[in-house]
Amino acid sequence: MYRQTDIPHPEPTRLGELKRLPRPLYGHRETLPNRAIPRRHRHPWAQLSYAARGVVEVATPEARFIAPPDRAVWIPPGRLHGVRCSRDSEIRSLYLDPEACDLEWPDCHVLEVQPLLRELIRAFGELPVLYDREGADNRLAQVLLDRLRAAPRVPLMLPWPREPRLTRLCQRIQERPDAPHRLSEHARRLGVAERTLSRAFRAQTGLGFRRWRQRCRLFAALPRLEAGERVTDVALACGYESLSAFIAAFREEFGRTPGKLVNRAPL
């Protein structure tokens, strides 16, 4: 469900070649099409990775963060990360000098993008790269930052283990969320006792195996739902035997039904 597109670059220089941003807050509509960077990288500024359409996933060594159109992922400066997006995504990422913008959040997290913040991001993307720092354009940027500071955090995060065998196990589950394997089968494949694997999994991720697998499956469902696939088809593709079980798990995890969580935001 994910693909690579072109990465946004400030004009006229490529983003990766800049020693500093052209303005403390940078974002531009003409950055489309986009290229996700699954290869791990880091940069000296903060990033708000936001998809006006589609689903964006940010992967760090510690966790996976996922954001449908009413969510965005905050990535602090210097944090090693990779980015993937679902097919036909439209990215409206912001790049920030955290000190100049007074947004020194030290950890990756997901934020709720409420309607006003969404429209401010859209309007800011229409401004020139070198917008007037003394006029109305700068005032718009300041209002955007104010709303960003007030944005609620939401727990769309999948903790990731560091132990190599557990990492490979989690990668297999992420690649095949429909696979019915139980913890006992994974333990047998790894040659360890089920209880030993269960303890190691909780110690590494903070979640029990079943809860982690459920969250992984639901994360896999988001790009499919955003792409317009039928909820029943998504449920089966993500390992659920019935639509009702999928909707119940979805509501438990996200606090709402699949149809209410994934809403297309206007571009």
Side-chain angles (χ1 to χ4, degrees):
M1 293 302 295
Y2 289 94
R3 66 164 187 163
Q4 295 185 347
T5 52
D6 295 329
I7 189 170
H9 299 305
E11 299 170 351
T13 310
R14 294 174 63 88
L15 183 66
E17 296 171 356
L18 292 178
K19 296 190 182 301
R20 65 174 186 171
L21 296 173
R23 288 289 185 266
L25 177 62
Y26 167 75
H28 196 242
R29 186 178 63 85
E30 298 302 326
T31 57
L32 295 176
N34 310 278
R35 176 172 60 83
I37 311 181
R39 173 183 54 80
R40 297 284 175 85
H41 64 286
R42 65 181 93 225
H43 34 68
W45 38 73
Q47 177 179 347
L48 186 77
S49 193
Y50 170 63
R53 182 173 67 213
V55 175
V56 62
E57 178 187 306
V58 174
T60 72
E62 299 81 21
R64 305 293 187 266
F65 303 84
I66 194 162
D70 58 351
R71 304 288 189 266
V73 183
W74 171 264
I75 307 166
R79 181 60 55 89
L80 191 65
H81 67 282
V83 181
R84 299 193 303 170
C85 59
S86 58
R87 185 178 294 115
D88 299 325
S89 292
E90 298 286 354
I91 306 300
R92 296 288 189 272
S93 288
L94 299 176
Y95 302 92
L96 308 93
D97 178 337
E99 292 186 5
C101 294
D102 191 26
L103 273 170
E104 297 187 61
W105 293 328
D107 60 320
C108 276
H109 56 272
V110 179
L111 296 169
E112 181 179 350
V113 178
Q114 296 173 333
L116 178 56
L117 178 57
R118 182 188 68 219
E119 291 305 312
L120 288 166
I121 293 172
R122 183 197 62 78
F124 185 77
E126 302 289 339
L127 300 183
V129 171
L130 298 175
Y131 58 84
D132 181 5
R133 298 185 67 176
E134 303 299 328
D137 292 350
N138 190 62
R139 291 195 293 272
L140 187 150
Q142 294 308 310
V143 174
L144 193 163
L145 289 170
D146 284 343
R147 299 318 305 160
L148 184 57
R149 294 184 191 100
R153 295 193 184 196
V154 289
L156 287 177
M157 185 268 285
L158 183 70
W160 206 255
R162 287 184 174 270
E163 200 279 324
R165 291 185 302 173
L166 289 181
T167 296
R168 290 192 294 271
L169 187 158
C170 290
Q171 287 171 339
R172 284 196 297 269
I173 296 173
Q174 188 175 47
E175 291 166 1
R176 284 290 312 279
D178 61 325
H181 302 141
R182 300 176 181 274
L183 183 63
S184 58
E185 296 175 71
H186 292 297
R188 187 163 53 251
R189 185 181 297 111
L190 294 174
V192 299
E194 181 178 353
R195 182 174 296 180
T196 299
L197 181 58
S198 177
R199 286 199 299 264
F201 204 92
R202 184 175 291 277
Q204 289 274 315
T205 69
L207 297 175
F209 173 77
R210 292 184 63 185
R211 181 64 184 273
W212 190 96
R213 184 181 63 181
Q214 173 173 292
R215 187 174 294 183
C216 184
R217 286 174 166 178
L218 294 173
F219 277 24
L222 289 175
R224 293 176 175 272
L225 292 168
E226 174 62 17
E229 295 186 28
R230 293 195 319 148
V231 176
T232 301
D233 294 338
V234 173
L236 295 175
C238 293
Y240 288 88
E241 296 181 355
S242 70
L243 177 60
S244 60
F246 173 68
I247 291 175
F250 203 97
R251 190 193 298 273
E252 178 186 3
E253 188 68 44
F254 300 126
R256 61 186 83 176
T257 63
K260 289 186 176 178
L261 181 69
V262 180
N263 295 306
R264 292 186 181 274
L267 299 177

